[in-house]
Amino acid sequence: MKKKGLYFIGIIILLAGAFYYFWPRPGVQPQFQQQPVTRLGEEGRVAVLEYHDFNWPGGFSISGEQFRRQLQALRQAGYTLVTPEEFRDWLQGKKEIKDKSILLTIDDGYASVAEIVPILREFKARALVFLVTSRTGKPKLTDAQLQEFADVLRPESHTHNLHYQGEIRPGKTGPALTSRLWLAAEGRQENRDEYKLRLRTDLETSLATLLPVNKRPEFFAYPYGVSNNDVIQLLKEHGIKFAFGTRPGLVTRKSDPWYLPRFEVGMPSFTPERLLAMLEVEFGKREAFSGWQLAGIDNFQPRIFWLEEGQVREALQITGPGWKFQKITRDQLGPFRRWQLSWEKENGEKLAIDLYSVPGGGMYLLEWTPANQDSKLVYHWQRVGEKGPWQVRTISYRPSQYGPYSQLASMVTTSSWPAPDDKWLAQPNRGYFWPGQKGEVYLSRGDSWEVLQEDTRRELDPGAKVQLHSNQYGTALWYSVTGLKPGQAYSQWGAVASEQLLNWENQISIADVRRADGDRYRKVLRDGIYNQTPGGYEPGGERVFWRIPAQHVGMMALDHDEVFFRNLVALSLFNAVERQNQAGIWPTEHLVKNLKEKYGLDQPFFDTRFNTDTGMFLLKVYRQYQIQAARQKAEQYGKYLWLYVENNHFTTQNKGYLVYDYQNLTASKVITHTSINHQLAEINFFLELYLLTGEEAWLTQAEKMLQGIRDIGTAWIKPDGDLHYAYLPDGSLGMQDYPLVTLKDLLYTQELLLKIKGSRDPLLDQLISSKQAYLQKQKLGPQ
């Protein structure tokens, strides 16, 4: 009994100590010490390093001495250099290698590579050297040198003579490997057969040229890091097993063998210290989450740190005891990583936080659901060791005459922080761009919601009170949320960058942050980006938001390479990939009253425009990041759309197709109108799929739909010069067209036709001219 009594007393003391440590005390801020890291499952991984020239100084060039210091640093830090043959065998499952391995690759085969051969021998290293075998331009390694250096260099192909930007139409160039070139003498672009013959001739010449120094080529490096299906198929036919791109990332056995990532480190700025810092982040030595570190997940208070150079720079901390960690899931799409974390209290109160890691920064998205009306959430974003003052930016909005959805006038305003302590901020209903000594953070407003259905919410008042507070540990922005009931929720998000979230000198970037608009007409939530519901949608109404099937914000964000926009691309990408159903589409779950009354359209239904916009977003993601999942999902949707077009259209006089905009998914089939902007978006998607895959079925379907537009002819043009919006089921034309949407679609179609056929469509040019003249006359367009 004595032992049991002492044991019980010991437990009481431990619990009391825990409550004392974790319970928030007035005036006390947490001291951010290093915490045990929750590690995720690891497997063998290789960082492939990419070099070019060793004739320093220059752009993509370093000195032999810097190269030597890099290898010395790698050795001292415990990294293992693997040979190309070991790397190949490991990828094929024939051999195991250590985690944290390094493969060296050198592009172009410049003569300066000879200068590092003694260094490679010193470190018993062997590198891939990708040779432009025509040896045009700067001096290249000779066959005699390659034979002499065979112990440390394995020669492979970088094409024979396709490492250049060629003319693809007058005034525009593209990579010769993946573009159909302009035949100036004939005034046209190569057709597909001519293009494929040029590829085949070049590759076979390159491999034949390599025979004296490599009788069995197995690796390839894409010039400029670009590829397509025709190139990959040709490589497979000629025995190539692996091909390298230029996107950064680690190689695992799950990596796409036809687009292996690499890190470009052959520049003067890549000191040994910077190289090690980058690799430590990538291999997860410093933190589990590539910038984020999770701490206290088994304790009472969730804490998430943003680390930089091994030190806590920012931290998100929830105040108050009683949280129990539930689960963590990890996902990755290309360079974008996501961790989904959740906590719960015994009374049913729930907290979920998603973390995203993108190149140069990351994002968190928080959602809280109360157990009862007395539940309270208090949390803060801490900036460690900084007290300001800062010039904090906000973006103010005002409606323009073109409505809330895409055309918003905005203004960037600055204010000085810190404000007086213990004062609630006067304008908590906007997001703040908060610069610091080591980077920048964006903290959104907090929003409270009534959840109407899985993809629809009504905004409530109030959101959160927001307070700025400083003490000896730094400065924190505090959020306090009260008064919510069961069935309601609270959300807030933030983004962090190692340097800047935005280039504040770039007015286009600022304008597109305005268009993304995460404060008023759009909301950024864990499960995607929500828009205000259009009129006539049910559920709908004032301050009701829905998660639309289209990824318009993600598409816009792809035009920028700043951290703020990369976060929005990552969120949109995960949403698009995960919410596509088994059929390959993204259904609309709302009832639209006017479509129900006109056509009998019920819920759920298929919206061709929203779905095709998401398909196009996925194709664009694939082009920019070579993420195979994005391509697979886009092609899956393309197959659904192809069949839909075949079975849901009006047939015009010359056997053209005008495709119904909408269709029931569970109720009986309906006939709806064909709007020209929907039709053009679908045509453009099929043309892009044809350019990507070369499969004639996509082009054939696009031609049938173009013929449908041609058969209506200039009847699309109204007497005032504007365009009719749609072809109606009774055979007439009508409805009011958008100011800019259809025009942009027409211009895009012409661009694609010029790329594929070398000529524009005459009727589409007439429609473009008429629409532009109408807009100019009416002085319509973005102001």
Side-chain angles (χ1 to χ4, degrees):
M1 287 293 293
K2 265 187 182 179
K3 287 185 178 179
K4 286 184 179 178
L6 289 171
Y7 182 69
F8 180 75
I9 291 168
I11 291 174
I12 295 297
I13 292 170
L14 284 172
L15 287 173
F19 269 89
Y20 175 80
Y21 180 80
F22 288 107
W23 190 267
R25 302 181 290 284
V28 176
Q29 296 290 321
Q31 297 188 50
F32 295 107
Q33 300 172 351
Q34 291 296 93
Q35 301 289 332
V37 174
T38 300
R39 292 206 172 271
L40 306 169
E42 293 183 353
E43 58 180 10
R45 296 165 295 173
V46 178
V48 182
L49 306 186
E50 178 185 358
Y51 298 88
H52 286 81
D53 200 355
F54 300 90
N55 188 23
W56 184 84
F60 290 97
S61 178
I62 62 172
S63 66
E65 178 55 31
Q66 183 174 342
F67 178 69
R68 187 185 186 285
R69 287 190 288 112
Q70 284 185 351
L71 296 192
Q72 183 67 39
L74 290 171
R75 173 188 282 176
Q76 292 175 349
Y79 292 94
T80 302
L81 294 174
V82 296
T83 68
E85 293 75 21
E86 290 170 330
F87 178 75
R88 174 201 63 203
D89 291 347
W90 167 70
L91 282 176
Q92 293 177 336
K94 300 175 182 178
K95 180 182 179 65
E96 296 302 319
I97 60 175
K98 293 181 180 179
D99 193 41
K100 294 178 59 179
S101 289
I102 304 292
L103 176 69
L104 304 176
T105 68
I106 306 166
D107 283 8
D108 303 327
Y110 293 130
S112 63
V113 174
E115 298 179 19
I116 65 156
V117 166
I119 300 170
L120 292 171
R121 287 172 174 158
E122 176 187 347
F123 285 88
K124 296 181 172 57
R126 181 166 162 80
L128 285 168
V129 57
F130 293 105
L131 185 67
V132 178
T133 53
S134 64
R135 293 182 167 90
T136 55
K138 290 174 63 174
K140 306 290 194 302
L141 293 167
T142 65
D143 281 356
Q145 287 177 305
L146 289 169
Q147 289 166 347
E148 180 187 347
F149 305 151
D151 59 322
V152 292
L153 295 178
R154 175 177 174 135
E156 297 284 356
S157 177
H158 202 30
T159 76
H160 182 68
N161 192 26
L162 294 182
H163 196 337
Y164 68 96
Q165 295 282 330
E167 189 176 37
I168 59 176
R169 63 174 182 264
K172 186 169 183 178
T173 61
L177 180 67
T178 55
S179 304
R180 299 187 192 184
L181 299 183
W182 184 255
L183 305 177
E186 301 176 37
R188 65 176 180 88
Q189 204 173 36
E190 286 177 312
N191 61 37
R192 186 158 181 251
D193 289 339
E194 291 168 330
Y195 164 69
K196 290 174 71 174
L197 177 61
R198 176 166 58 83
L199 287 186
R200 181 176 296 276
T201 301
D202 183 274
L203 180 62
E204 290 177 353
T205 303
S206 183
L207 298 182
T209 306
L210 282 173
L211 279 175
V213 291
N214 185 353
K215 298 192 181 304
R216 192 180 175 186
E218 294 180 295
F219 298 91
F220 187 86
Y222 303 117
Y224 308 110
V226 296
S227 180
N228 62 28
N229 265 8
D230 289 329
V231 175
I232 293 171
Q233 185 57 40
L234 195 61
L235 294 176
K236 291 178 180 179
E237 291 175 11
H238 287 78
I240 303 299
K241 301 293 192 300
F242 307 101
F244 292 91
T246 56
R247 294 281 180 190
L250 297 177
V251 177
T252 72
R253 280 178 171 158
K254 297 178 182 177
S255 297
D256 180 359
W258 301 107
Y259 202 91
L260 296 172
R262 294 190 287 176
F263 297 98
E264 170 58 67
V265 298
M267 296 173 283
S269 61
F270 256 97
T271 62
E273 294 75 21
R274 182 182 172 191
L275 173 61
L276 291 182
M278 178 195 75
L279 292 175
E280 285 172 9
V281 168
E282 290 296 326
F283 282 106
K285 175 181 176 182
R286 287 182 175 166
E287 63 277 345
F289 300 149
S290 296
W292 296 106
Q293 175 174 314
L294 180 68
I297 63 172
D298 294 318
N299 300 324
F300 293 98
Q301 293 172 297
R303 290 174 288 176
I304 297 168
F305 301 157
W306 176 263
L307 297 185
E308 197 167 84
E309 298 177 359
Q311 302 297 316
V312 175
R313 195 190 84 184
E314 320 265 359
L316 176 70
Q317 177 157 335
I318 313 300
T319 300
W323 290 105
K324 183 179 179 183
F325 183 69
Q326 295 296 302
K327 67 176 181 177
I328 177 172
T329 61
R330 177 188 186 276
D331 302 285
Q332 182 168 355
L333 291 169
F336 307 122
R337 302 173 186 177
R338 183 187 66 184
W339 298 266
Q340 295 183 299
L341 318 165
S342 61
W343 292 260
E344 190 169 349
K345 291 186 177 180
E346 288 186 2
N347 65 1
E349 192 175 333
K350 295 180 180 179
L351 175 70
I353 300 176
D354 289 2
L355 304 177
Y356 284 82
S357 173
V358 304
M363 171 172 66
Y364 75 86
L365 300 107
L366 175 151
E367 182 160 310
W368 172 69
T369 54
N372 52 58
Q373 198 162 357
D374 295 327
S375 298
K376 180 178 182 179
L377 177 70
V378 178
Y379 66 99
H380 61 269
W381 181 271
Q382 173 88 17
R383 173 153 278 169
V384 179
E386 293 190 41
K387 297 185 180 180
W390 302 276
Q391 290 299 307
V392 177
R393 295 181 176 94
T394 59
I395 294 183
S396 303
Y397 301 89
R398 61 179 173 82
S400 79
Q401 60 180 307
Y402 303 103
Y405 295 105
S406 60
Q407 305 300 329
L408 287 169
S410 72
M411 170 174 66
V412 177
T413 59
T414 58
S415 56
S416 182
W417 280 7
D421 285 353
D422 302 318
K423 298 288 186 183
W424 295 107
L425 297 182
Q427 294 179 311
N429 61 340
R430 60 178 60 177
Y432 299 96
F433 287 89
W434 184 6
Q437 294 173 5
K438 296 182 179 179
E440 186 173 29
V441 64
Y442 172 78
L443 298 171
S444 81
R445 58 178 278 173
D447 288 303
S448 296
W449 303 99
E450 176 188 0
V451 180
L452 302 181
Q453 64 184 41
E454 192 268 337
D455 64 347
T456 310
R457 303 179 178 211
R458 177 179 284 111
E459 187 181 25
L460 303 173
D461 287 322
K465 289 184 176 181
V466 185
Q467 185 183 32
L468 194 72
H469 182 77
S470 297
N471 64 16
Q472 68 268 33
Y473 300 110
T475 304
L477 198 64
W478 287 80
Y479 294 77
S480 177
V481 190
T482 57
L484 296 186
K485 304 173 184 177
Q488 298 177 347
Y490 169 81
S491 67
Q492 189 263 329
W493 67 285
V496 61
S498 299
E499 295 180 359
Q500 274 191 315
L501 282 164
L502 288 171
N503 176 5
W504 291 98
E505 302 299 319
N506 187 334
Q507 293 303 309
I508 295 176
S509 293
I510 294 171
D512 281 349
V513 172
R514 170 207 71 190
R515 289 174 60 204
D517 180 22
D519 283 340
R520 297 197 317 163
Y521 296 110
R522 291 191 181 96
K523 302 290 183 178
V524 179
L525 301 177
R526 289 179 60 241
D527 60 341
I529 296 173
Y530 282 60
N531 280 28
Q532 275 196 335
T533 52
Y537 275 53
E538 293 182 356
E542 187 177 0
R543 300 181 74 185
V544 174
F545 292 77
W546 72 307
R547 188 184 63 232
I548 67 172
Q551 302 298 332
H552 294 147
V553 170
M555 177 70 93
M556 176 200 68
L558 282 167
D559 292 333
H560 300 272
D561 196 31
E562 293 147 294
V563 174
F564 184 84
F565 291 107
R566 288 180 202 149
N567 283 311
L568 296 178
V569 169
L571 175 63
S572 299
L573 176 60
F574 275 96
N575 189 257
V577 167
E578 293 175 345
R579 297 197 176 280
Q580 187 182 41
N581 68 16
Q582 289 184 341
I585 63 171
W586 300 267
T588 297
E589 302 291 345
H590 284 64
L591 181 71
V592 183
K593 287 189 284 188
N594 69 319
L595 295 176
K596 172 73 171 176
E597 292 165 2
K598 279 185 180 180
Y599 307 126
L601 190 71
D602 218 324
Q603 63 186 107
F605 66 89
F606 173 58
D607 182 322
T608 57
R609 180 77 208 213
F610 283 158
N611 277 257
T612 302
D613 285 349
T614 296
M616 194 69 84
F617 165 72
L618 290 168
L619 284 181
K620 192 170 180 181
V621 167
Y622 173 72
R623 277 205 197 85
Q624 288 193 207
Y625 293 99
Q626 296 293 313
I627 298 172
Q628 288 296 326
R631 174 175 176 164
Q632 290 163 4
K633 294 292 185 179
E635 291 191 31
Q636 184 183 358
Y637 170 65
K639 292 172 184 176
Y640 179 96
L641 182 63
W642 194 96
L643 288 171
Y644 176 85
V645 168
E646 279 296 307
N647 295 297
N648 296 272
H649 66 264
F650 303 103
T651 302
T652 58
Q653 62 186 14
N654 292 306
K655 298 183 179 180
Y657 288 175
L658 292 174
V659 180
Y660 308 153
D661 280 8
Y662 310 104
Q663 191 53 264
N664 282 326
L665 293 176
T666 56
S668 57
K669 183 175 177 178
V670 295
I671 296 174
T672 72
H673 60 258
T674 300
S675 59
I676 190 169
N677 80 80
H678 282 232
Q679 181 97 351
L680 289 165
E682 295 151 34
I683 290 168
N684 293 340
F685 182 64
F686 284 143
L687 293 177
E688 287 283 15
L689 281 172
Y690 171 70
L691 285 171
L692 177 67
T693 67
E695 295 177 14
E696 294 291 334
W698 305 123
L699 183 60
T700 301
Q701 204 72 315
E703 284 288 353
K704 291 177 184 176
M705 297 173 71
L706 274 169
Q707 188 59 50
I709 294 176
R710 293 187 193 111
D711 284 348
I712 303 300
T714 56
W716 287 109
I717 302 173
K718 297 164 65 175
D720 62 3
D722 197 8
L723 302 182
H724 288 291
Y725 177 79
Y727 178 89
L728 305 177
D730 64 3
S732 65
L733 298 167
M735 303 172 67
Q736 181 62 47
D737 194 29
Y738 295 113
L740 295 174
V741 173
T742 303
L743 177 60
K744 290 179 179 178
D745 291 332
L746 285 163
L747 292 168
Y748 188 19
T749 306
Q750 294 290 55
E751 180 182 335
L752 292 172
L753 290 175
L754 193 60
K755 187 180 292 187
I756 293 169
K757 297 186 172 185
S759 62
R760 298 165 63 93
D761 185 276
L763 173 68
L764 299 192
D765 271 340
Q766 286 182 271
L767 301 184
I768 290 168
S769 297
S770 183
K771 184 74 173 183
Q772 288 174 330
Y774 169 79
L775 292 174
Q776 187 174 9
K777 183 179 178 181
Q778 299 296 321
K779 297 182 179 179
L780 292 174
Q783 302 297 310

